[in-house]
Amino acid sequence: MNSLIKLELTRALRNRKFLFFSVIYPSVLFLIIAGNSDSTTQLPGTGLTLPTYMMVSMASFGALTAVLMGNSERIAKERESGWVRQLRLTTLPGRGFVLAKTASAAVVSLPSIVIVFAVAATVKDVRLDAWQWLALTGAIWAGSLVFAALGVAIGYLASGDAVRPITMITYFGLSMLGGLWMPTTTFPTWLQDIAKWLPTHAYAALGQAIEQSRAPHVQDLVVLVVSFALFAGGAAWLYRKDTLKA
């Protein structure tokens, strides 16, 4: 399994296009959105300035990009090429394959988080305590596992031709409706009520709670735990179903 993890990491790091969108793109978006804002005016209903709010949002967005986009498309293509079928002939257990995919995606997601933080601190003068930086990094990195499981599930659900549109719809839908691109406080009330139950909203809310030095809302934790259970359970069921087909 360790060999497969190393192979997955090597393949991910060699994919320059993927690295740009998962590592550099979120920082560029942060600069575009928060570039002309000041560091004192708070966004209504958030208790945070635009730079601090968007720093967590774009770090979460970068991690989401790495684990969701990377996993879903690669798995679907590997199923079609016969690579997954070849792995089943080895002693590698099914959970090892899923773990290798998740681990490689999680490693790639870490640089995107760190770079967004570095840009926010140097360009927009975002200042937090040392424990907050560490807690933010850990929370956003760990929370990305929810979407890594979703990526695996989509990879086993969709064919090679269909996986990209399905992933893109899921990716942009969760990002926009979850408040990663703009505060949900700007949404109509009915849309805010929907956004509160999306895992992306809960994901970003964890980081925002750390920035405000308060405990996260129980609802956000429940949404993330339930989402992970559903996505991981769906991925496991789809993996077994795909195995039976083979």
Side-chain angles (χ1 to χ4, degrees):
M1 185 172 66
N2 290 335
S3 298
L4 182 59
I5 292 176
K6 292 179 181 178
L7 174 62
E8 291 296 332
L9 282 173
T10 301
R11 293 173 63 191
L13 294 175
R14 285 179 177 175
N15 190 335
R16 295 180 182 179
K17 183 178 178 181
F18 173 70
L19 287 176
F20 172 79
F21 281 103
S22 62
V23 177
I24 305 301
Y25 183 50
S27 298
V28 173
L29 279 182
F30 170 80
L31 291 175
I32 292 173
I33 297 172
N36 295 323
S37 62
D38 62 69
S39 301
T40 57
T41 304
Q42 292 188 348
L43 291 171
T46 67
L48 299 169
T49 63
L50 183 60
T52 53
Y53 181 94
M54 292 310 303
M55 181 183 75
V56 165
S57 294
M58 288 298 104
S60 302
F61 177 66
L64 171 68
T65 303
V67 299
L68 180 59
M69 300 290 287
N71 269 344
S72 60
E73 292 196 25
R74 275 202 297 269
I75 290 174
K77 291 178 180 178
E78 288 172 359
R79 287 172 55 222
E80 286 199 342
S81 68
W83 171 243
V84 175
R85 190 179 301 110
Q86 291 295 319
L87 287 177
R88 292 199 188 102
L89 300 177
T90 69
T91 58
L92 180 71
R95 65 180 180 276
F97 174 79
V98 175
L99 179 60
K101 291 293 184 183
T102 303
S104 63
V107 171
V108 174
S109 72
L110 184 59
S112 67
I113 298 170
V114 174
I115 290 176
V116 170
F117 288 172
V119 170
T122 56
V123 178
K124 297 305 298 180
D125 198 34
V126 173
R127 293 290 179 264
L128 298 172
D129 293 336
W131 74 266
Q132 289 176 301
W133 289 116
L134 292 174
L136 276 175
T137 303
I140 295 175
W141 195 20
S144 69
L145 296 178
V146 175
F147 306 99
L150 176 59
V152 175
I154 294 176
Y156 277 105
L157 177 67
S159 64
D161 292 331
V163 66
R164 175 161 294 186
I166 291 175
T167 303
M168 294 299 284
I169 291 172
T170 304
Y171 169 67
F172 285 113
L174 287 175
S175 298
M176 290 187 289
L177 296 178
L180 298 187
W181 287 4
M182 64 184 71
T184 55
T185 52
T186 63
F187 295 173
T189 303
W190 64 271
L191 193 54
Q192 291 184 40
D193 293 336
I194 294 175
K196 290 177 182 178
W197 296 101
L198 294 178
T200 37
H201 180 275
Y203 183 36
L206 285 184
Q208 292 158 12
I210 294 171
E211 288 182 317
Q212 295 172 324
S213 300
R214 61 173 175 80
H217 293 303
V218 174
Q219 178 179 317
D220 294 326
L221 295 175
V222 170
V223 168
L224 287 174
V225 171
V226 171
S227 296
F228 179 74
L230 290 175
F231 297 155
W237 180 79
L238 289 166
Y239 177 83
R240 289 194 296 269
K241 183 180 178 182
D242 191 67
T243 301
L244 292 175
K245 285 182 180 179

